[in-house]
Amino acid sequence: MKRRAAMLAGVLCTGMSMYSQSAPVDSVKTVNLDEVQIISTRATSKTPVAFTDVDKEQIRKQNFGLDIPFLLTSTPSVLTTSDAGAGIGYTSIRVRGTDATRINITANGIPMNDAESHSIFWVNTPDMASSLEDMQIQRGAGTSTNGAGAFGASINMRTQGISSKPYAEVSGSYGSFNTHKETLKVGTGILNNHWAFDARISNISTDGYRDRATADMTSYFLQGGYYGESTSIKFITFGGNEETYHAWDGISKDDLKNNRKYNPNGKIEDANGNVIGFYDNQIDKYKQTHYQLLLDHTFTPAWKLNVALHYTDGDGYYEEYKNTRKLIEYGLEPFTVDGKTIKKVDLVRRKSVESGFGGGIFSLNYTNERLQAAIGGGINYYENDHYGNVIWIKNYIGNLAPDHEYYRNTGKKTDGNIYAKANYELGNGFNLYADLQYRHINYKINGNNDKWDDTKEPEHLQRLDIDEKFSFFNPKAGIFWQINPNHSAYASFSVAQKEPTRNNYTDGLFTELPKAEKLFDYELGYTYRNSRFTAGVNLYYMDYTDQLVLNGKVNEIGEAMAENVKDSYRMGIELTAGAKLLEWLRWDVNATWSKNRIKNYTAYYSTWDSNWNEYDQTAVAMGTTPIAFSPSFMAGSLFSFDYKGWGATFQSQYVSRQYLDNTGNEVNSIDPYFVNNLHVGYTFKLKGFKSINVGATVYNLFNEKYETNGYSASSATYDPESETTTINHNPMYYPMAGTNILCNVTLRF
């Protein structure tokens, strides 16, 4: 069902430029008064938090097909994953070891994380990077923001601003795995001194590195605005359609050695469990549309108001072939063939979601020579219908209604917050910072889940009757000291609290509800900078109560599962440095050493008897153990060359061992890896063009065989004769692509 719409014919090859930071200066870019900006949640150069800005030019230099997480790999403490292995489709990001459900992501101050899962699925907003003005990554608890609390980082995205002059841009990419991207952007510039309009359409498609791991995505971005001397208003809509073949399951160590590209999703088995083929329509298909109305009003030079209304509409499904499933679990009766009762059978099911998310945010900002202050907040409502249908059953004898529905439930969530923050200049280079937030959540889930509950008689689908309320007070405070023009330092303390995700409720134990988690975040930083050299160090200690950590298990669609641990912490040191070695050569590096531990951890293993019937749970006290997916060391390097239109970058990343669960067992771990990417490009001008850029990027230059994600899949077997229990480990991995290339051309008018 590939569309492969060639939106722009005759596009040449060129490559992606890994972004180079001119200097890791942590400051917000100058803002035009006539542009709509929602910036109260952003850190400034004198805010005592650890953050990095990525500007429009840095994004442009590397935006030729890969998802946004892979555009951020050169920033401190960032790890990326890709189910398909090539950075397109289902990708994710971790910061300081925390997963995407604990990274707050906003666009123009509006929450982008799904209100229930707390994740952002970048596949639903393909090529959003082409419509961004900049991004800011705050590590740790960060400043107060809208949406779910930040437990590892915040990513604040700002969509593109207005252009004073008309423009057009055509770009295209082509490379390994039949990967191609086509983008067309146009803008009117300022019309009648007040109006401006911009548009973008994009297509991205790939066969993926792994077998059948295809992705076909289209997207758009439209904005129009009125810009006055004191009032500006902008309407934005953007969205995407995606169709991806599942690559949600990992592969074994044997497959890593013998068949790294193997994808077990969609397999069709015979009666003996042998794979005889793969289901063609094992796909995920989703459409998501965003609407934003942004208002900016300046009362006086000191007082400014930002207001935004938003709505996001989403619907889609995923379809999958399931081998030998119990009919009763799908609300269907066993049937008889030749006197034999058939209770298990192959079938195809489709799980669907329909969601709506809307609300409003605001901030009232005050600025004078010594004080920056803001009062803001927002209220949002979310509703999501989940339901499943059986659309085909092998050799079924009986009455099967078309699209037989076997479960349905509805999630509803109201989320409101209000905050007040101030940054006051005391004098002698000292600034005091305070940030107080109150957040209230009401979350309900009602209906039947898709999980079968065999803990009660009679057995039935898990019944969901969740009605949870949370009230969080999150104070933050800190001090910034500009010692002299070259030296600065800061210290801060923050409290962050966060409610569980939907999966924490539906994929955990039937008899036990997950708890909210709490974080005390301590940060201490120092920066030195001059015209040719910049260096910084940040120390952090993140002390958690009831942290929800990944336990190495995944649910049926490959989503990582988590559990509360009473007492845990993350502590580390982040180093950054950048040097302008020559006028045309720059070197930027970063490194993170960390210690991530759970105190008094107990691991639970599903235990099976000799007939492979689930027998019990085996508890093993482990003592103090490392937190899963939290490497103790990672480092990045970026050489940037720029001379007379020629540009080149050489980017490297090293990541130490990561554990797939919380036991610290090396059997269940991801080996360390060291990956290098090389880009070479050339920019020139021809009559009728503002510029033409061509180039190529070679990813994984030295063909490193590595993995960035996986799960432990550990279990236990019980022998009643010897009364002994044996722990069995079967780690599964998501392999990344070997050496591959992506070429690109960009024409600007």
Side-chain angles (χ1 to χ4, degrees):
M1 299 183 72
K2 287 194 165 190
R3 292 181 290 274
R4 301 193 185 283
M7 298 163 53
L8 310 170
V11 176
L12 300 174
C13 283
T14 195
M16 165 182 166
S17 162
M18 305 309 296
Y19 87 86
S20 63
Q21 292 175 288
S22 58
V25 177
D26 293 341
S27 60
V28 176
K29 295 174 65 177
T30 302
V31 177
N32 295 323
L33 292 177
D34 59 351
E35 174 64 289
V36 179
Q37 304 288 339
I38 309 293
I39 61 172
S40 63
T41 57
R42 284 205 162 186
T44 70
S45 60
K46 295 183 179 180
T47 306
V49 300
F51 71 96
T52 301
D53 284 333
V54 182
D55 65 26
K56 186 175 183 177
E57 183 66 12
Q58 294 166 342
I59 296 170
R60 182 188 65 79
K61 285 184 176 180
Q62 57 173 330
N63 177 34
F64 294 106
L66 273 63
D67 293 347
I68 284 178
F70 283 80
L71 308 188
L72 301 174
T73 52
S74 291
T75 59
S77 301
V78 167
L79 292 176
T80 56
T81 69
S82 171
D83 288 2
I88 299 174
Y90 273 92
T91 61
S92 191
I93 187 171
R94 297 191 185 109
V95 182
R96 291 184 178 175
T98 56
D99 66 276
T101 65
R102 279 143 190 86
I103 299 173
N104 174 277
I105 300 174
T106 58
N108 301 320
I110 294 167
M112 290 288 290
N113 301 71
D114 180 83
E116 282 197 298
S117 72
H118 297 191
S119 286
I120 179 170
F121 300 100
W122 301 102
V123 71
N124 296 335
T125 54
D127 201 25
M128 188 175 181
S130 289
S131 297
L132 291 182
E133 188 70 21
D134 53 34
M135 292 184 282
Q136 182 180 95
I137 307 174
Q138 299 176 14
R139 301 184 296 279
T143 64
S144 287
T145 184
N146 299 297
F151 265 53
S154 300
I155 300 177
N156 185 309
M157 301 184 295
R158 189 160 58 109
T159 57
Q160 68 183 67
I162 59 173
S163 173
S164 60
K165 296 180 180 180
Y167 69 91
E169 181 180 307
V170 177
S171 63
S173 306
Y174 187 79
S176 302
F177 321 122
N178 197 28
T179 298
H180 59 92
K181 171 182 177 283
E182 300 84 34
T183 300
L184 171 64
K185 296 178 64 177
V186 295
T188 64
I190 298 295
L191 302 175
N192 296 325
N193 297 320
H194 291 293
W195 297 89
F197 301 89
D198 300 274
R200 171 187 59 81
I201 55 174
S202 302
N203 177 76
I204 302 175
S205 182
T206 182
D207 291 342
Y209 167 67
R210 300 178 66 190
D211 297 337
R212 305 177 312 285
T214 58
D216 289 286
M217 302 173 287
T218 58
S219 67
Y220 77 93
F221 177 90
L222 295 171
Q223 71 176 6
Y226 172 85
Y227 305 92
E229 292 183 3
S230 59
T231 302
S232 299
I233 188 168
K234 180 191 288 187
F235 175 75
I236 301 172
T237 177
F238 59 91
N241 290 275
E242 63 88 7
E243 182 178 305
T244 57
Y245 195 96
H246 299 181
W248 296 340
D249 292 346
I251 61 175
S252 68
K253 286 187 176 181
D254 286 341
D255 285 328
L256 286 179
K257 296 177 181 177
N258 303 314
N259 187 10
R260 288 182 60 83
K261 299 181 69 174
Y262 178 60
N263 177 11
N265 288 98
K267 63 184 178 182
I268 300 173
E269 300 174 342
D270 63 16
N272 297 318
N274 300 311
V275 178
I276 58 175
F278 293 90
Y279 183 56
D280 289 338
N281 211 43
Q282 187 95 355
I283 62 169
D284 175 270
K285 191 170 185 177
Y286 197 79
K287 178 181 179 181
Q288 190 174 83
T289 307
H290 299 254
Y291 305 94
Q292 298 181 356
L293 183 64
L294 312 179
L295 171 69
D296 178 290
H297 180 72
T298 300
F299 297 101
T300 69
W303 290 93
K304 186 175 184 179
L305 175 68
N306 304 124
V307 177
L309 301 176
H310 68 91
Y311 184 76
T312 301
D313 178 67
D315 67 86
Y317 65 86
Y318 67 88
E319 186 174 310
E320 56 187 347
Y321 192 100
K322 304 299 290 186
N323 294 279
T324 57
R325 305 297 290 190
K326 292 181 180 179
L327 286 169
I328 191 173
E329 295 183 7
Y330 295 87
L332 296 166
E333 295 295 327
F335 59 96
T336 302
V337 177
D338 297 330
K340 182 179 179 181
T341 300
I342 306 299
K343 296 182 178 180
K344 295 181 179 180
V345 70
D346 294 359
L347 53 84
V348 174
R349 70 185 186 189
R350 179 179 290 179
K351 295 185 177 182
S352 304
V353 294
E354 297 176 0
S355 64
F357 175 59
I361 64 172
F362 80 97
S363 65
L364 179 63
N365 306 284
Y366 174 79
T367 304
N368 65 24
E369 292 181 355
R370 304 184 68 176
L371 176 66
Q372 292 179 319
I375 296 175
I379 186 165
N380 304 294
Y381 178 75
Y382 176 88
E383 185 168 335
N384 197 358
D385 291 324
H386 304 256
Y387 56 95
N389 303 93
V390 176
I391 62 175
W392 175 84
I393 298 178
K394 184 179 181 180
N395 299 327
Y396 187 62
I397 298 177
N399 296 320
L400 177 66
D403 289 345
H404 167 75
E405 184 174 293
Y406 67 98
Y407 80 90
R408 178 179 287 267
N409 61 76
T410 300
K412 299 179 180 180
K413 185 174 185 179
T414 303
D415 179 356
N417 82 94
I418 189 167
Y419 60 81
K421 60 180 68 175
N423 198 329
Y424 181 70
E425 184 178 339
L426 292 173
N428 297 321
F430 285 96
N431 282 66
L432 287 180
Y433 177 78
D435 184 342
L436 307 175
Q437 184 200 52
Y438 172 79
R439 183 166 175 253
H440 180 77
I441 304 103
N442 185 10
Y443 182 40
K444 298 180 180 180
I445 315 177
N446 296 105
N448 288 329
N449 194 20
D450 61 328
K451 304 292 188 300
W452 189 252
D453 185 357
D454 57 6
T455 64
K456 303 180 182 68
E457 293 291 343
E459 298 179 4
H460 54 262
L461 287 173
Q462 179 191 11
R463 296 192 179 111
L464 299 173
D465 188 17
I466 308 297
D467 187 355
E468 296 268 70
K469 294 180 175 62
F470 302 92
S471 293
F472 300 136
F473 175 59
N474 300 317
K476 302 174 174 67
I479 185 169
F480 177 87
W481 182 22
Q482 188 68 55
I483 304 168
N484 60 39
N486 300 116
H487 301 267
S488 62
Y490 66 84
S492 66
F493 169 74
S494 303
V495 177
Q497 298 174 85
K498 183 178 176 298
E499 74 279 16
T501 69
R502 172 187 168 87
N503 286 356
N504 297 148
Y505 288 104
T506 61
D507 296 340
L509 298 175
F510 293 139
T511 57
E512 186 175 319
L513 292 179
K515 303 174 184 177
E517 48 189 336
K518 190 172 187 176
L519 163 66
F520 292 153
D521 183 17
Y522 306 84
E523 307 269 344
L524 180 66
Y526 164 80
T527 300
Y528 171 83
R529 62 171 57 90
N530 62 27
S531 60
R532 301 186 68 90
F533 179 74
T534 303
V537 57
N538 186 73
L539 306 173
Y540 65 88
Y541 182 78
M542 304 169 71
D543 185 16
Y544 295 89
T545 300
D546 293 324
Q547 182 183 186
L548 282 157
V549 298
L550 302 180
N551 58 17
K553 299 180 181 179
V554 294
N555 62 19
E556 288 186 303
I557 62 172
E559 293 178 319
M561 295 169 58
E563 60 182 318
N564 287 111
V565 292
K566 184 177 180 181
D567 195 358
S568 58
Y569 65 89
R570 302 179 187 273
M571 61 185 298
I573 178 172
E574 296 167 326
L575 302 178
T576 59
K580 191 174 183 179
L581 304 176
L582 299 167
E583 289 302 318
W584 45 268
L585 181 62
R586 180 175 180 83
W587 185 25
D588 291 282
V589 296
N590 65 72
T592 301
W593 285 266
S594 64
K595 186 176 182 180
N596 312 277
R597 294 292 185 267
I598 301 171
K599 299 178 181 179
N600 303 314
Y601 180 67
T602 299
Y604 292 89
Y605 297 96
S606 296
T607 307
W608 308 82
D609 63 17
S610 57
N611 295 318
W612 291 104
N613 296 311
E614 190 162 13
Y615 180 80
D616 203 347
Q617 288 274 314
T618 297
V620 179
M622 307 295 297
T624 298
T625 61
I627 301 176
F629 302 101
S630 302
S632 59
F633 177 71
M634 53 187 300
S637 170
L638 183 67
F639 285 96
S640 306
F641 167 90
D642 190 1
Y643 184 74
K644 292 185 177 181
W646 288 95
T649 57
F650 182 68
Q651 187 257 348
S652 307
Q653 185 181 44
Y654 174 82
V655 179
S656 68
R657 185 171 303 279
Q658 301 176 70
Y659 295 98
L660 297 175
D661 58 21
N662 301 304
T663 65
N665 190 329
E666 191 168 315
V667 173
N668 292 325
S669 69
I670 300 173
D671 289 336
Y673 58 87
F674 182 55
V675 181
N676 300 270
N677 305 310
L678 174 66
H679 164 77
V680 178
Y682 181 61
T683 301
F684 58 96
K685 293 185 179 181
L686 290 177
K687 186 177 180 180
F689 298 91
K690 290 181 180 178
S691 67
I692 299 174
N693 176 264
V694 296
T697 300
V698 182
Y699 299 99
N700 195 359
L701 181 64
F702 302 118
N703 200 31
E704 175 89 346
K705 287 182 169 59
Y706 74 109
E707 302 78 46
T708 61
N709 200 13
Y711 49 95
S712 66
S714 297
S715 62
T717 53
Y718 177 72
D719 183 356
E721 292 185 5
S722 62
E723 297 184 346
T724 58
T725 300
T726 304
I727 306 298
N728 309 298
H729 301 295
N730 184 32
M732 309 296 282
Y733 300 91
Y734 297 87
M736 296 296 289
T739 302
N740 64 99
I741 189 170
L742 187 63
C743 302
N744 174 269
V745 63
T746 300
L747 311 175
R748 295 185 178 87
F749 305 89

